[in-house]
Amino acid sequence: MSKILNLVQKLFVLFLVLFSSALSFAQQDRLAENKQINIVYGGTFTKDEAKAPGASIFSMDDRQVQFEHQGADLWCDYAIFYQKENRLKAVGNIRLQQGDSVQMTSGKVDYDGNTKLAKAWQNVILEQNPGMRLETDTLRFDREKQEAYYKDFGTVIDSTNTLTSQIGRYYMETKKYQFLDSVHIDNPEYKVDSKQLDYYTSSKNAYLYGPSTVTGKTYKIYCERGFYDTKVESGYGIKNTRIDYNNRIIVGDSVYFNKAKEYASATNNIIITDTVNNGIIRAHYAEVFKAKDSVFATKRAVAISLVEKDSLYIHGDTLMITGKPDKRIMRAFKNAKFYKTDLSGKADSIHVEEITGLTQLIGKKIPKDTKEINWPKYYPVIWNGENQMTGDSIHLISDLETEKLDSLKVIKNAFIVSFDTIGKTGYNQAKGIDLYGKFLDNTLDEVDLIGNTEVVYWMYNDDQELIGINKTICSKINITFVNNDVEDLTFYVDPDGDIFPEKDLEEELRILKGMAWRGDERILTKEDIFDEDDNNIKLVVIQGIENPIDIDAEEEQRSKNASDPVNNLPTSAANPSPNNKAVLTKSTSSKNKTTEKKSN
């Protein structure tokens, strides 16, 4: 009995194996049938075993020959069809239609039904609705991946732009082009030239790789990694970026530009060059407003200009430059400092006018409850050689023709002080209500102190032996200088004073009321205009376009914010965010993926 059962079981297993094999063969037959190129209309049929062994030859009669394959139709004048190999060669007035959106025309096509690869040549035109047209001499069309590729120069025309390149690949699912080698975009408003460029026909966004230039009517952008929205002429660069914009050249690690807003901003290692006035701004964050002809800069910001073959450096926590080139006004706010050879200074703010040649150093507002002894720290101060000058405000006036320093004004509470470098025990001091000075070859030549003037001056003979200490009061004092040292003092209108032996003048009488020596603040080099906070600035991490060329995920994120191509950008210099970045937040990159659409 058990032998019979075992035999039945074996027969049942054999039946299942044979049945499964039959199903597998049937499925393979159906798959092969689905892959087979179908003849829809053959026209005139012939064979020529000498020229096309094993092939069927079809020629048009009153209508073109037509083939169908997995959702695509092909029409031609003449076709050589290798049915067993499932491939054909089509010639003459070819039209390949895939669904309702993709159409290709050409003079010749080789098509492989097994791989769904088509090679087309002779005046190839590929069109995809809405409004995209690709023209080239030879095109390879992969229907499995839904990609088209050319390497012998091509032209793409859409509703906005005409693009050309030596090599190109088109991804139909994402409507994305990858252009390589001699890429050019032609538009009535701008031109783009690039080594490598990704372009989305739906969004009109371009991603730039390698040396790239965008030239508009009022601007020019160069970068080696960047983004450009061709619809609104806006974009940014994050590698070796430069923008020529409104008589200014902007260079930085990351530079953003928006034509409609007439606005540009830059982050990290910024250099802004004023091509008219030959001035430079260096900073780590800056904004440029074209309509207002203004620049806002911060984070270790410094303005550099040439004054009679000597560079003038002006620094502040914030720099603001406004006005037309010949009427520019520069303001340095909060902890402002300047430096040039033999002349430096600091103030709460510095104000420079191009049209008048006037530089104003403005002090802090003194709180009402501040004691008089603390007032000097609120005053602006300048150093010329060894001479320190302070007052409520200080004006430096330049000669507009020679660009040399011409004169100096210290308004209210004027003080001029220098350390006695011979005896090294006291300070030469002169004070008055106001001070007026004249420069000769950018060096202080003479000053006049006006109103309630006082002097304490250490006097020496030719052998540098101390004669005594001159302590005098009068209405006016004239001081002349040679090589930044006092040469002569002249007292006017009833001077009252004397020369005292050092031992006869008490220590407290050797210091004029309100005098404050600020030698430890003196700016001796251009590096001294920066303090500890400036030197400890941490640069933001520049984020944006990925490399290699593969940014579909970023494009998807960007499309959600179409009104502003770059996220988190400031729109006003008045209220900048501390976390402002001139680039798009980094997004995860993904590989190009396309899935064949099945046609009914």
Side-chain angles (χ1 to χ4, degrees):
M1 184 68 178
S2 60
K3 291 182 179 180
I4 295 174
L5 288 174
N6 288 336
L7 180 61
V8 171
Q9 289 175 346
K10 290 179 180 180
L11 290 173
F12 181 71
V13 170
L14 180 61
F15 171 76
L16 289 178
V17 171
L18 293 174
F19 182 73
S20 298
S21 299
L23 285 177
S24 176
F25 286 128
Q27 289 174 349
Q28 290 178 13
D29 289 341
R30 283 196 296 272
L31 288 173
E33 183 179 351
N34 289 337
K35 284 188 176 182
Q36 187 64 38
I37 299 172
N38 299 315
I39 305 168
V40 177
Y41 182 78
T44 303
F45 169 77
T46 59
K47 278 185 171 289
D48 189 336
E49 291 297 323
K51 293 183 178 180
S56 300
I57 301 174
F58 301 94
S59 303
M60 67 174 292
D61 43 27
D62 57 341
R63 53 184 283 198
Q64 283 190 301
V65 178
Q66 181 182 354
F67 295 88
E68 184 277 333
H69 186 242
Q70 295 186 336
D73 290 281
L74 182 146
W75 290 266
C76 63
D77 294 345
Y78 178 85
I80 302 174
F81 181 35
Y82 296 88
Q83 189 168 12
K84 289 183 179 180
E85 299 174 19
N86 199 29
R87 62 185 180 89
L88 65 84
K89 293 179 177 290
V91 180
N93 298 310
I94 296 165
R95 178 167 63 94
L96 189 152
Q97 185 76 40
Q98 180 177 279
D100 296 328
S101 62
V102 178
Q103 177 177 281
M104 182 180 72
T105 60
S106 65
K108 295 182 179 181
V109 165
D110 285 352
Y111 183 72
D112 188 326
N114 299 316
T115 60
K116 297 176 71 172
L117 289 175
K119 177 185 176 182
W121 66 101
Q122 289 187 2
N123 300 320
V124 184
I125 298 174
L126 178 68
E127 296 179 290
Q128 183 176 21
N129 294 331
M132 190 289 298
R133 178 184 176 99
L134 164 62
E135 299 177 359
T136 186
D137 182 70
T138 302
L139 183 72
R140 289 163 176 81
F141 180 13
D142 187 335
R143 293 189 57 237
E144 186 68 39
K145 295 181 178 180
Q146 289 295 286
E147 295 177 9
Y149 171 79
Y150 64 84
K151 61 179 182 180
D152 300 309
F153 191 81
T155 300
V156 175
I157 303 169
D158 65 12
S159 58
T160 305
N161 300 298
T162 300
L163 304 92
T164 58
S165 70
Q166 187 65 30
I167 301 171
R169 186 180 295 274
Y170 180 51
Y171 301 88
M172 296 181 182
E173 291 287 336
T174 55
K175 297 184 179 179
K176 166 187 172 180
Y177 277 95
Q178 286 182 354
F179 296 106
L180 303 174
D181 194 0
S182 306
V183 187
H184 179 75
I185 300 178
D186 197 356
N187 184 286
E189 299 298 319
Y190 56 82
K191 312 293 180 189
V192 179
D193 291 282
S194 179
K195 183 178 180 181
Q196 302 179 13
L197 183 147
D198 277 14
Y199 180 77
Y200 288 78
T201 60
S202 54
S203 65
K204 316 301 183 192
N205 289 341
Y207 292 82
L208 311 170
Y209 302 87
S212 305
T213 303
V214 181
T215 306
K217 292 182 177 180
T218 59
Y219 62 90
K220 184 176 181 180
I221 304 170
Y222 172 86
C223 71
E224 293 175 14
R225 187 87 52 77
F227 163 82
Y228 185 67
D229 186 333
T230 68
K231 300 189 306 298
V232 296
E233 295 184 63
S234 173
Y236 65 84
I238 60 171
K239 182 179 180 183
N240 296 333
T241 306
R242 162 179 167 158
I243 298 180
D244 293 53
Y245 188 48
N246 199 31
N247 298 319
R248 290 186 173 97
I249 299 171
I250 308 166
V251 176
D253 288 0
S254 173
V255 182
Y256 167 80
F257 168 79
N258 188 301
K259 179 187 176 183
K261 295 180 180 179
E262 297 188 306
Y263 169 85
S265 67
T267 303
N268 293 1
N269 301 308
I270 301 157
I271 301 175
I272 301 177
T273 303
D274 185 331
T275 59
V276 175
N277 295 320
N278 297 320
I280 292 174
I281 294 174
R282 292 179 179 270
H284 291 299
Y285 182 77
E287 297 179 336
V288 178
F289 299 83
K290 181 184 176 185
K292 297 180 180 179
D293 211 328
S294 65
V295 176
F296 161 89
T298 187
K299 294 187 177 181
R300 199 179 163 87
V302 57
I304 306 168
S305 57
L306 191 64
V307 179
E308 188 58 23
K309 299 180 181 180
D310 186 16
S311 293
L312 171 64
Y313 300 83
I314 298 178
H315 164 68
D317 288 356
T318 300
L319 295 182
M320 195 71 152
I321 297 91
T322 58
K324 299 299 180 183
D326 58 341
K327 298 180 180 180
R328 293 251 157 94
I329 296 174
M330 183 181 70
R331 300 173 178 88
F333 298 105
K334 192 178 179 183
N335 197 24
K337 302 173 186 176
F338 78 91
Y339 170 82
K340 68 183 295 293
T341 304
D342 291 330
L343 187 67
S344 61
K346 62 186 296 186
D348 183 57
S349 62
I350 297 175
H351 184 285
V352 183
E353 291 184 1
E354 290 278 350
I355 194 170
T356 61
L358 173 63
T359 299
Q360 300 179 62
L361 280 72
I362 303 167
K364 293 181 181 179
K365 185 177 181 180
I366 302 175
K368 292 181 179 180
D369 59 350
T370 300
K371 295 180 180 180
E372 184 176 350
I373 193 66
N374 293 324
W375 285 3
K377 73 177 182 179
Y378 292 92
Y379 295 159
V381 56
I382 63 172
W383 294 272
N384 180 245
E386 299 299 322
N387 302 300
Q388 169 191 296
M389 285 167 276
T390 57
D392 283 13
S393 64
I394 299 175
H395 293 182
L396 294 164
I397 300 96
S398 298
D399 187 303
L400 296 178
E401 292 185 4
T402 65
E403 296 184 347
K404 294 181 179 181
L405 280 171
D406 177 75
S407 55
L408 163 74
K409 293 181 183 180
V410 180
I411 302 170
K412 290 188 179 181
N413 297 305
F415 247 104
I416 179 168
V417 183
S418 64
F419 182 63
D420 176 20
T421 57
I422 299 175
K424 300 185 185 300
T425 58
Y427 297 90
N428 298 313
Q429 308 150 61
K431 65 178 286 189
I433 296 176
D434 300 317
L435 180 152
Y436 300 93
K438 292 291 292 182
F439 289 92
L440 181 64
D441 293 329
N442 288 316
T443 302
L444 194 61
D445 184 54
E446 68 173 321
V447 300
D448 287 318
L449 279 156
I450 308 296
N452 300 329
T453 56
E454 299 181 55
V455 163
V456 171
Y457 186 73
W458 301 70
M459 302 184 67
Y460 295 86
N461 61 24
D462 292 340
D463 294 326
Q464 294 191 340
E465 296 172 337
L466 181 65
I467 298 173
I469 303 172
N470 187 334
K471 185 173 174 65
T472 302
I473 62 172
C474 60
S475 295
K476 175 183 175 182
I477 302 172
N478 176 266
I479 306 173
T480 58
F481 299 84
V482 174
N483 297 325
N484 289 320
D485 288 329
V486 173
E487 177 74 7
D488 289 306
L489 290 91
T490 305
F491 306 100
Y492 294 91
V493 188
D494 300 325
D496 182 11
D498 204 345
I499 299 175
F500 298 89
E502 185 177 17
K503 63 182 177 60
D504 293 343
L505 192 64
E506 299 176 4
E507 289 286 342
E508 60 269 21
L509 296 178
R510 300 176 188 180
I511 301 296
L512 296 177
K513 184 179 179 180
M515 194 281 279
W517 179 245
R518 300 169 65 178
D520 59 340
E521 301 176 49
R522 185 178 174 187
I523 301 167
L524 298 171
T525 68
K526 62 184 180 181
E527 286 76 20
D528 289 344
I529 61 176
F530 301 111
D531 57 25
E532 186 176 351
D533 290 339
D534 296 314
N535 293 327
N536 292 331
I537 287 177
K538 293 183 179 179
L539 302 186
V540 298
V541 177
I542 301 302
Q543 298 175 334
I545 302 168
E546 290 291 328
N547 191 34
I549 303 175
D550 191 5
I551 38 71
D552 292 322
E554 185 167 353
E555 177 68 17
E556 182 179 354
Q557 179 176 338
R558 184 181 300 285
S559 66
K560 297 175 183 177
N561 189 18
S563 61
D564 188 353
V566 178
N567 297 325
N568 303 322
L569 275 171
T571 56
S572 172
N575 298 296
S577 166
N579 296 319
N580 283 336
K581 298 179 182 179
V583 295
L584 180 72
T585 303
K586 185 177 181 181
S587 60
T588 305
S589 177
S590 66
K591 296 292 183 183
N592 289 315
K593 295 181 179 180
T594 57
T595 305
E596 179 187 355
K597 293 182 179 179
K598 299 297 181 180
S599 177
N600 293 330

